Each structure stands twice: as C-alpha cells, then as structure tokens.
Amino acid sequence: AVVSTQSTGGEEGGDDVSPIRNTIVYDQETQRLIDVFEEAETLYNEAKKRYEHAKRQVEEMEKLNGIDFGPEEEFFSLWGQCFEHYDGKYKYSLCHFDQSKQDSTSIGKWEGWQKGSDGRPNYGVMMYTRGASCWQGPNRSTRVEVQCGSQNEIVSIGEPAKCEYAFVFKTPAACITIQDEHEIHDEL
C-alpha cells in the first residue's frame, strides 16, 4: 500500500499538508475487494433498516390486534389520536388506547373498557389505570365516559376522589354504539 497526502494551499498560498485527508492507495485487487466489502456493507445496512421497520410494523399490528375497538370496531378511528382540554389550571390530554395526562404527569395507562356486572365490556366507559403514584394516595387513574357527539372532544374533567379523574369525551363513534343498543332494546 502506498500512502499519499493531499496538499492544500494556505491562506497565504503556502504548501500546508492537510492532516484531515490522508488517502491510502491500494493495488487493484485489494481496492476491488474493499469496494465489494463497502457495497456489501451498504446493502446489509439497508436490509437491516428495512428489517427493523418491518419488525416495528409487526409489533404495532400485534398490539392493535389485542385492542378492543368496540363490537363493530367503531372506536378504531380514535386510535393514535390525542385530545387536550385546559381547565384554567391544568392541561389534560387523552390519547385513546394509550394514556391520559395532567400536564406531564401520567394519570393512567389504557386498561380497557369498564366491565359490566356480567363481565362484558361496557363500551361507554374507558379505563386508564397505573398512572403516577399520588402522595399518600393511590396510583392515579382516569375513567372516561364516552358519549355520542358531533365531534371528538373532551367536554369535562373532574376529580371525584383523590387522584381519580373523570373525563367526559364526546365522539361520533359512540353514536353508532348507542344506536345499535337502542335497536336491540326495540327488538326485545
């Protein structure tokens, strides 16, 4: 191998040897092998990125598959969406099927739909549990009453008990469930 340095002209036109760029000149066969290796490395890195992306997509699909979006998947449209409400003191956020927050404090992570006395999901109430712990109290939790409305919005927030929050969230998605329940009761 032959080592060569690149000469750069200084501001005054001097001949300074640049410590930044030294190149090694290899014989033709060695350089061909280096080029093949670099191309293989590039292809490997691209394949690894595609694999990691596909793996994340599969994990996300598996997570989605485990979420109950309602009997007709009517609440799927809320997945991945976050809504905020400011009550004059705190900013509350609700990220459906993920978490709820008061400013930056976790007030619950998605647990599921509240269970009825028969053990079946009540699609009118979302439960978020395992939030940040309260000083001398339980871990924070949020109960979200889901009502039919013309747009997606948090309409009220309360704290009926220490570190237990209650949201009322209106959404067109709930109108489908309410309509279906009325149809069932009419048939009975």
Side-chain angles (χ1 to χ4, degrees), residues 108-181:
K109 294 175 183 66
W110 170 250
E111 178 72 24
W113 297 98
Q114 185 178 52
K115 301 290 183 205
S117 58
D118 60 359
R120 294 172 46 182
N122 170 1
Y123 294 108
V125 180
M126 301 173 120
M127 300 300 296
Y128 294 79
T129 60
R130 303 176 324 259
S133 61
C134 265
W135 186 74
Q136 294 186 342
N139 282 12
R140 291 171 173 85
S141 63
T142 306
R143 181 183 187 275
V144 180
E145 183 180 336
V146 182
Q147 299 178 350
C148 175
S150 61
Q151 62 185 22
N152 294 324
E153 63 180 333
I154 299 171
V155 293
S156 69
I157 294 176
E159 189 176 358
K162 183 179 182 177
C163 300
E164 294 179 10
Y165 301 87
F167 291 15
V168 174
F169 182 81
K170 290 194 174 187
T171 177
C175 300
I176 297 168
T177 303
I178 291 169
Q179 179 183 350
D180 290 346
E181 288 176 5

Side-chain angles (χ1 to χ4, degrees), residues 11 20 22-23 25 29 41 43 54 92 95 120 142 146 157 166:
E11 288 184 24
I20 297 172
N22 290 328
T23 54
V25 178
E29 180 60 20
E41 184 178 41
L43 291 171
Y92 292 90
C95 297
R120 294 172 46 182
T142 306
V146 182
I157 294 176

Side-chain angles (χ1 to χ4, degrees), residues 70-138:
E72 301 296 323
E73 304 292 320
E74 60 271 28
F75 295 102
F76 178 76
S77 63
L78 298 174
W79 182 77
Q81 292 194 51
C82 297
F83 300 90
E84 294 181 345
H85 182 84
Y86 182 70
D87 72 351
K89 187 174 181 181
Y90 299 106
K91 180 177 82 172
Y92 292 90
S93 64
L94 174 63
C95 297
H96 287 278
F97 306 102
D98 187 18
Q99 65 181 337
S100 58
K101 288 185 174 185
Q102 179 189 56
D103 291 330
S104 62
T105 303
S106 171
I107 57 174
K109 294 175 183 66
W110 170 250
E111 178 72 24
W113 297 98
Q114 185 178 52
K115 301 290 183 205
S117 58
D118 60 359
R120 294 172 46 182
N122 170 1
Y123 294 108
V125 180
M126 301 173 120
M127 300 300 296
Y128 294 79
T129 60
R130 303 176 324 259
S133 61
C134 265
W135 186 74
Q136 294 186 342

